[in-house]
Amino acid sequence: MRKTLLLIFLCIPQLLLAQIPGGKWDGPLITKYGTFHKGDTLKVGLGSDPNGDFKFIYQPANDLLGTDQVNFQKMYASTRLIVKYFKEWESHKFGLKQFTVVSFPSRNGVVELEAAIEAGEIIVPNFKPKQLNQVPQFSVADELTKLKRLLDDGVLTKDEYESQKKKLLGN
């Protein structure tokens, strides 16, 4: 009796922590980026949140315990995750969502696979993710040409032109 109570006492927290909503299946999950199977290895890229954490790889909130969602932190970039199984869940707020359940540090976590791939959080061969917060690239020569045109058109004074030119050339 005591062993049974001890076993129940030890298992209940793990069962409560492992609550990921939805119906479970072993796969495969077919996406526009390929087909994913139980046991596949997912290569983690970089987090798409401005602070480097992940938006689409996380441990979901647990309503039974009142815990919040915990996003995968940036220190896990370039790691690998093993697909355990898949879940599908529909809510009025978000519609139908499919999750890839993976081993998360100390418990299960989920990957919103298509969104994670598109954001570069999961890397798949032959797919180039969108560059988030990318600064437009320009050449110094192009900018100098634009400045010269503005000087010639009388938009900039000679002093303004020289000042901007020095900034571009790093002087």
Side-chain angles (χ1 to χ4, degrees):
M1 176 71 173
R2 289 175 60 174
K3 284 184 181 181
T4 304
L5 286 175
L6 179 62
L7 184 61
I8 291 171
F9 180 74
L10 292 174
C11 291
I12 287 178
Q14 289 301 315
L15 291 172
L16 291 173
L17 289 172
Q19 296 299 312
I20 296 173
K24 174 182 172 182
W25 85 96
D26 286 336
L29 175 63
I30 300 169
T31 72
K32 58 186 172 185
Y33 304 108
T35 301
F36 297 86
H37 300 86
K38 178 179 180 178
D40 283 353
T41 299
L42 302 177
K43 185 177 178 187
V44 178
L46 298 174
S48 61
D49 192 75
N51 67 4
D53 290 342
F54 294 80
K55 290 182 181 179
F56 305 106
I57 306 173
Y58 54 88
Q59 178 191 345
N62 187 317
D63 293 335
L64 293 174
L65 292 178
T67 59
D68 293 330
Q69 176 175 305
V70 177
N71 289 45
F72 213 59
Q73 296 175 330
K74 63 184 170 187
M75 68 181 160
Y76 295 107
S78 301
T79 60
R80 298 190 185 279
L81 301 171
I82 305 297
V83 174
K84 294 179 77 172
Y85 53 88
F86 304 93
K87 283 213 165 191
E88 185 172 83
W89 178 56
E90 189 166 8
S91 74
H92 296 294
K93 187 175 181 180
F94 298 110
L96 181 66
K97 280 195 163 195
Q98 294 181 322
F99 302 99
T100 303
V101 179
V102 296
S103 295
F104 197 74
S106 79
R107 58 186 65 95
N108 289 341
V110 299
V111 177
E112 293 179 30
L113 201 52
E114 286 192 354
I117 292 168
E118 289 169 4
E121 293 185 2
I122 296 293
I123 298 169
V124 294
N126 304 319
F127 177 74
K128 197 159 186 96
K130 297 175 190 172
Q131 295 296 317
L132 302 175
N133 302 324
Q134 185 176 10
V135 177
Q137 298 296 316
F138 64 89
S139 74
V140 173
D142 290 339
E143 293 303 306
L144 287 172
T145 302
K146 290 177 191 175
L147 282 175
K148 179 68 168 119
R149 190 175 308 124
L150 291 171
L151 173 66
D152 293 343
D153 291 344
V155 176
L156 293 177
T157 66
K158 182 73 172 163
D159 289 340
E160 291 170 327
Y161 169 78
E162 289 299 328
S163 172
Q164 293 298 319
K165 182 176 154 185
K166 283 180 182 178
K167 285 181 187 177
L168 282 170
L169 295 173
N171 295 334

